[in-house]
Amino acid sequence: MGFNLSEWALNNRSLIVYLMIMAVVAGLFAFVKLGRNEDPSFVIKTMVVQAAWPGASVDDMLKQVTERLERTLQETPKLDFLRSFTRAGVTTIFVNLKDSTGAREIPDIWYHVRKSIGDMRHTLPAGVVGPGFNDEFGDTFGIIYGFTADGFTHRELRDYVEDVRSKLLHVRDISKIEILGAQDEKIFVEFSMEELAGLGIDRSALIAALQAQNVVQPAGTIQTGNETLSLRVSGAFRSEEDVANVNFAVGGRMLRLSDIARIRRGFADPPQPLFRVNGQPAIGLAIAMRDGGDILALGRNIKSAIVEATANLPLGVEPRLVADQAATVDSAISEFMTSLWQAVAIILLASFVSLGFRPGLVIASAIPLTLVVVFSIMQISNIDMQRISLGALIIALALMVDDAMTTTDAMLTRLAQGDDNVQAATFAFRTYAFAMLAGTLVTIAGFVPVGFAASGAGEYTFSLFAVVAIALIVSWFVAVLFAPLLGVAILAPPKAAASSEPGWVFRTYRAFLTWALRAKWLTIAATLAMFVASLFAIRLIPNQFFPASDRPELLVDMTLPQNASIFASESVSRRLDEDPDVARWSTNVGRGAIRFYLPLNVQLANNFFSQAVIVAKDVAARERLRVKLEKLLANDFPNLVSRVSTLELGPPVGWPIQYRVSGPEIAQVREIALKLAQVMARNPQVVHVNYDWFEPARQVRIQIDQNEARLLGLSSQALATVLNTVITGSPITQVRDDIYLVDVIARATDEERVSLDTLRSIQVPLANGRTVPLSQFATFTYDQEQPLIWRRDRVPTLTVQADVKTGVLPATVVDALGPSIAELNKTLQHPYRIAVGGVVEDSAKAQASVIAVVPAMLLIMFTVLMVQLRSFSRLFIVLSVGPLGLIGVVGALLLSGKPLGFVAILGILALLGMITKNAVILIDQIESERRQGKGVWQAAVDASSTRFRPIMLTAISTVLGMIPIAPTVFWGPMAFAIMGGLLVGTILTLVFLPTLYVAWFRGKEGDSRAKLATAK
């Protein structure tokens, strides 16, 4: 006889009790210390590379900077694709790595990017600033405060906010704090070109004098016998008054700068991205947590720090909470913990009702013992309490009582047959332990595609595999170590009267099984027919990637024509008014919201774009707001591309419907995009069709008569410098004001620089001190150019994007558009093409990453099953049952109206392992019955009858345990898939499997009696 782990546990009871006590203590400690978060962390595999070339046109920027950088970046290891965004003077390139790239590889890849760009930097044109790198694109700023001021200047408010920021940086677990909406101060030196010319003042000499006075340069040191003395030269600017008081020698007399120019202190013009809270101008503090931190503890610490830091703020400066991930996580975890305890209660109730008080008490003890060990391992493995891990605990809950229920049922059976407590407790290990272990490993194998899918979605759901695997392995050890000990202490032999009379459920099942065996070919054919029907019916279930979040936030995207100014965006954003359904709202003008939520689709900073984040009072209020906002934007802003959306779950996508049009010639790409948009707009389910870039912008082209300019001693470079200084303004020096550096900007007066009409009469200084009007040697024409160009893998790419009507899934619309898009694609000449993007593309990638791991899952399953069964025939019978759960999956999803999404697919794969586990244990029981001398028919009937109660109890417990998460947005489709699939799969395991077994081995009714009679 082999080693019996349950027997060893009973022989070492004190040690086992000690281990149980330590497991409870360690588990409770781990539960308290486990990190809390909203979503599991996953790496955003994107780096942003930016470079600037002031004064360059879009075309020059594209060919001389973007192209050179992209050629080098295409050599990046594990590169998926490049996506670049080029504007006049600025390029932004997104380096996207393949989803299969491991988190540990990414730092080395980003180092390679920096090194390779550093090696080629000398090939960029002179005057290029950068490139700069941002490999922290995925940082999440979950807690945001906005500070408003009544009666204070923006600078005064910023001083107070900077002080609060300095104090908050001392709070534990804070990794960084970003300031939102702060406007950099500038000192403007505004002069009239005409007046300077009349006074005979050389503008360049004036600027040089200002720079020379404000220079920071060592004046030397004096070494004496006792000390070292540093020499400091005065003249540095400390305020705008210092700049205004600078004197110049002009024509033998001294003039102050304030006599010939207007000096004033202001803010960046045009403004930098603006931030508003509840409609009021504000400065925000966005706080990011370090990796592995506890967001709940951080939220409490920040609230205390804010109260302390703002206690001394003057009346009128108020901190307002904008985003509070801590409160969201606290609420979400509370709801999930409630669901977890509800599931525990449901399973315990099912156990007590079906097995009785004492057996139910054994299982009731096994659940917390399993959970506390799981909590300890989660803490060691750095798995936080978050959306996925908590859902995994609920899913694993019913599975983890399976082994304890099997052990308890076996003990009850042996006690009823006259064994003592110890013999009954060791019987379960001797009979079922290895079949249970094989079934546990097979169930875990069903979750392997979840754990090892090489995609962002797979990384997002990894803790589902990890927690379920941990829970199932722990539950097996609890069943063979702790449950026998508990059973010896608690269980008593059942009364003979109660055990001799089977219940009506059991009698009904045995009669139905007997009928199914007699009509075995009809049973097999009917089962196969239902399976084939489910394969066809699965097409009726709508597809979905990840559902929308159930958080109360709404995102309102507002996009103006791409040549619009930030002033126009600010004007639009001001139109959002208060509403009784709104708890609070914030607006980002000139940029998208900072990543306050990990799956947020972060938008680039652009003057033409604004994004409001509206927090509704609840989900119902959110939906009412959504309708009102969509109506408001459609009626009041018809020229605005707007989108009102909820937050996403899973990796960020953006517009749900996206098609990319790519090709070498921009004009041709635009023409194809127009045709594509017409095709999309014809579908009644598609709304808000728009483009990520499309409209050309006006520009004023100044044609210089080069011969005339040379006769005057001028060049195009000198003219561009003069015009930039006069019209836009150029920084000439800096004032060092406390912790700030304030640029001094030289430019023309408002009258000379804001009007296109005065451009012709601008006085251009000559080398001899005279000036000439610009119109003397230049002509002016209007032209058009693309204000920005998106490229993908160095090819101009225009994305036509759209939303779908409420209640419609993107995949359904893409399927409907498929034939029309395919026809349009056929008409395109190579290399022009249309490719699907958005939710459908990401979903396909995620599903492909899961399917890629399915062979490994099947290999593990086959190997475990073959080791346990050691027969190809029995292996085939077991494997034939697993896919039949699809019958119940399709039925449950169709009846509930739930979509077949990424999470539901993971549930289906896991379901395969669950059903297979029951099949393995049942086959093992049949073989055990046959080894006792029974014929095929009788062994199948008796084994199925023996396993009926534990298998059905486990299935019912699992189905009932899924009820608390079935109504949730994220887990609902998986819950219904598992509930329906497991219920149908269990019934087929108890009916179809013995029927197939009898048919395969040619069993006949009565063969056991004949065989036993012969044996006697």
Side-chain angles (χ1 to χ4, degrees), residues 293-311:
D294 184 343
I295 188 65
L296 299 185
L298 180 63
R300 291 191 296 269
N301 294 338
I302 287 176
K303 283 183 180 178
S304 299
I306 285 286
V307 170
E308 182 180 344
T310 57

Side-chain angles (χ1 to χ4, degrees), residues 711-889:
L711 289 174
L712 294 170
L714 297 172
S715 65
S716 294
Q717 179 184 9
L719 285 169
T721 303
V722 169
L723 289 173
N724 184 59
T725 302
V726 171
I727 303 300
T728 304
S730 59
I732 55 176
T733 187
Q734 290 178 318
V735 170
R736 295 173 286 282
D737 182 4
D738 195 23
I739 63 172
Y740 308 106
L741 284 174
V742 181
D743 288 336
V744 178
I745 307 294
R747 66 183 186 183
T749 58
D750 290 346
E751 295 78 12
E752 292 186 351
R753 65 184 180 86
V754 299
S755 171
L756 291 176
D757 294 332
T758 59
L759 186 62
R760 301 174 185 274
S761 59
I762 281 181
Q763 297 297 312
V764 179
L766 303 177
N768 58 11
R770 295 190 305 107
T771 62
V772 295
L774 181 60
S775 58
Q776 183 172 326
F777 53 90
T779 56
F780 303 86
T781 58
Y782 286 99
D783 199 358
Q784 286 188 333
E785 69 172 356
Q786 292 295 333
L788 58 93
I789 294 176
W790 279 100
R791 304 207 310 179
R792 186 183 174 98
D793 290 332
R794 296 172 50 209
V795 178
T797 302
L798 199 160
T799 302
V800 185
Q801 49 202 16
D803 211 338
V804 293
K805 287 188 175 180
T806 304
V808 179
L809 294 179
T812 305
V813 176
V814 171
D815 288 342
L817 290 171
S820 302
I821 303 296
E823 287 297 321
L824 179 58
N825 235 334
K826 290 178 183 178
T827 65
L828 304 183
Q829 295 181 350
H830 182 77
Y832 296 94
R833 64 186 184 279
I834 299 172
V836 67
V839 172
V840 173
E841 181 184 40
D842 282 19
S843 178
K845 284 184 179 180
Q847 292 181 23
S849 69
V850 170
I851 293 170
V853 189
V854 168
M857 175 195 80
L858 296 176
L859 178 62
I860 295 171
M861 281 186 172
F862 293 166
T863 304
V864 171
L865 291 174
M866 183 55 76
V867 169
Q868 175 64 25
L869 300 174
R870 295 182 175 88
S871 165
F872 283 106
S873 299
R874 291 190 285 271
L875 176 66
F876 169 77
I877 293 173
V878 168
L879 293 178
S880 67
V881 178
L884 300 180
L886 188 64
I887 300 170
V889 170

Side-chain angles (χ1 to χ4, degrees), residues 46 72 82 115 122 131 143 334 346 404 445 499 513 549 568 661 809 973 987:
T46 301
T72 301
L82 297 174
K115 184 178 179 300
H122 68 278
I143 298 176
S334 296
I346 289 170
S499 60
L513 176 62
S549 171
V661 182
L809 294 179
I987 294 172

Side-chain angles (χ1 to χ4, degrees), residues 650-662:
V653 176
W655 288 89
I657 305 293
Q658 295 180 25
Y659 289 96
R660 295 189 300 272
V661 182
S662 301

Side-chain angles (χ1 to χ4, degrees), residues 333-370:
I333 288 180
S334 296
E335 289 177 7
F336 263 104
M337 292 307 297
T338 301
S339 299
L340 180 62
W341 303 136
Q342 287 174 350
V344 170
I346 289 170
I347 291 171
L348 292 181
L349 183 63
S351 301
F352 282 118
V353 170
S354 57
L355 295 175
F357 178 76
R358 288 177 178 269
L361 195 59
V362 174
I363 295 170
S365 303
I367 290 176
L369 283 171
T370 304

Side-chain angles (χ1 to χ4, degrees), residues 51-70:
W53 189 15
S57 67
V58 172
D59 190 57
D60 285 342
M61 199 72 200
L62 197 62
K63 294 176 179 176
Q64 300 299 328
V65 180
T66 304
E67 176 68 17
R68 294 174 193 267
L69 291 173
E70 286 183 333

